[in-house]
Amino acid sequence: EDQVTQSPEALRLQEGESSSLNCSYTVSGLRGLFWYRQDPGKGPEFLFTLYSAGEEKEKERLKATLTKKESFLHITAPKPEDSATYLCAVQAPRNTDKLIFGTGTRLQVFP
Amino acid sequence: EPEVTQTPSHQVTQMGQEVILRCVPISNHLYFYWYRQILGQKVEFLVSFYNNEISEKSEIFDDQFSVERPDGSNFTLKIRSTKLEDSAMYFCASSATGGAFFGQGTRLTVV
């Protein structure tokens, strides 16, 4: 069964304290891995798509990387406005477009 | 920037009543989805829709649920005879290729 596991469940950082969030997956052939940001009571906001091992994507203070078994979301010098839940989702290669989500990492950045 | 629009933002309904959740996907997207998120849980896939028909549905999407694209811009989710356990955030999403873009959700409360 396809599964996505995110760690840690929650992360508290001081402003400027860099860290990484982990997303490990078991999928029979990965078609795409997606990172989203979700603010409380809001819909997931698309951040990145990664397709193959070794691929990296960057946006402001965020960088996403992908290996054959996991993805990392690196946050460099975070600010309080980066506080949110970060969701990872995978898409399998069978005749499906559905996304399988992890439970997310709740990030809090304190000034 | 194009976005997925959902209405209403919050719907309260009595158990057993029918509700219709509405979505306007991004205009040049061809794939449409409904997901739901029960409070504190993962985002779960319900159904995907392409070329005016359901392309995939989850086990959750039983005879109680139906989707429709009544015109060129709207995409609806109907829930017949709502149950208490249907209370959740319902997200519409659309995609061209790659990542799906989500709306802000409809919070459905069944009382």
Side-chain angles (χ1 to χ4, degrees):
Chain A
E1 183 183 341
D2 300 332
Q3 280 199 330
V4 179
T5 304
Q6 291 189 247
S7 62
E9 287 187 13
L11 183 61
R12 294 163 56 100
L13 298 174
Q14 281 297 124
E15 184 172 2
E17 181 187 359
S18 301
S19 189
S20 296
L21 314 182
N22 177 263
C23 171
S24 63
Y25 60 90
T26 52
V27 171
S28 305
L30 182 72
R31 196 163 122 207
L33 185 141
F34 305 83
W35 282 98
Y36 288 88
R37 169 189 171 130
Q38 187 176 31
D39 292 300
K42 304 292 185 182
E45 176 189 344
F46 175 77
L47 293 174
F48 303 110
T49 308
L50 301 166
Y51 293 106
S52 56
E55 189 174 359
E56 297 184 353
K57 294 270 180 76
E58 282 190 68
K59 179 179 178 179
E60 296 180 356
R61 295 177 292 282
L62 300 177
K63 183 167 92 171
T65 62
L66 181 65
T67 72
K68 288 187 177 178
K69 292 186 178 179
E70 58 191 349
S71 176
F72 292 93
L73 184 66
H74 307 279
I75 303 177
T76 302
K79 298 182 177 182
E81 53 261 42
D82 294 322
S83 297
T85 296
Y86 290 86
L87 304 176
C88 173
V90 299
Q91 193 175 47
R94 295 177 291 277
N95 289 332
T96 175
D97 288 319
K98 74 178 182 185
L99 297 177
I100 301 166
F101 280 86
T103 51
T105 293
R106 189 173 65 254
L107 173 66
Q108 292 179 290
V109 182
F110 295 91
Chain B
E1 185 174 326
E3 60 180 15
V4 176
T5 305
Q6 290 187 243
T7 55
S9 57
H10 191 186
Q11 173 100 41
V12 181
T13 189
Q14 289 202 323
M15 193 168 53
Q17 295 297 304
E18 175 182 287
V19 295
I20 297 176
L21 311 184
R22 302 180 191 280
C23 169
V24 179
I26 294 172
S27 63
N28 63 340
H29 285 183
L30 301 177
Y31 300 87
F32 313 119
Y33 313 88
W34 285 99
Y35 287 80
R36 80 173 184 188
Q37 187 176 31
I38 295 171
L39 188 63
Q41 297 187 24
K42 294 182 185 183
V43 176
E44 301 176 287
F45 169 79
L46 291 178
V47 65
S48 58
F49 193 87
Y50 172 71
N51 203 22
N52 286 320
E53 62 183 19
I54 291 173
S55 50
E56 186 177 4
K57 58 184 180 180
S58 72
E59 291 177 355
I60 303 167
F61 194 89
D62 58 20
D63 293 343
Q64 182 196 6
F65 295 89
S66 62
V67 291
E68 194 177 40
R69 187 152 163 83
D71 54 43
S73 59
N74 291 286
F75 182 50
T76 63
L77 174 69
K78 181 188 291 185
I79 310 175
R80 287 182 281 276
S81 190
T82 49
K83 297 176 275 197
L84 294 176
E85 53 264 39
D86 294 327
S87 295
M89 282 287 283
Y90 287 81
F91 296 111
C92 174
S94 68
S95 68
T97 56
F101 291 82
F102 285 74
Q104 291 301 294
T106 293
R107 179 174 300 281
L108 176 65
T109 303
V110 182
V111 298

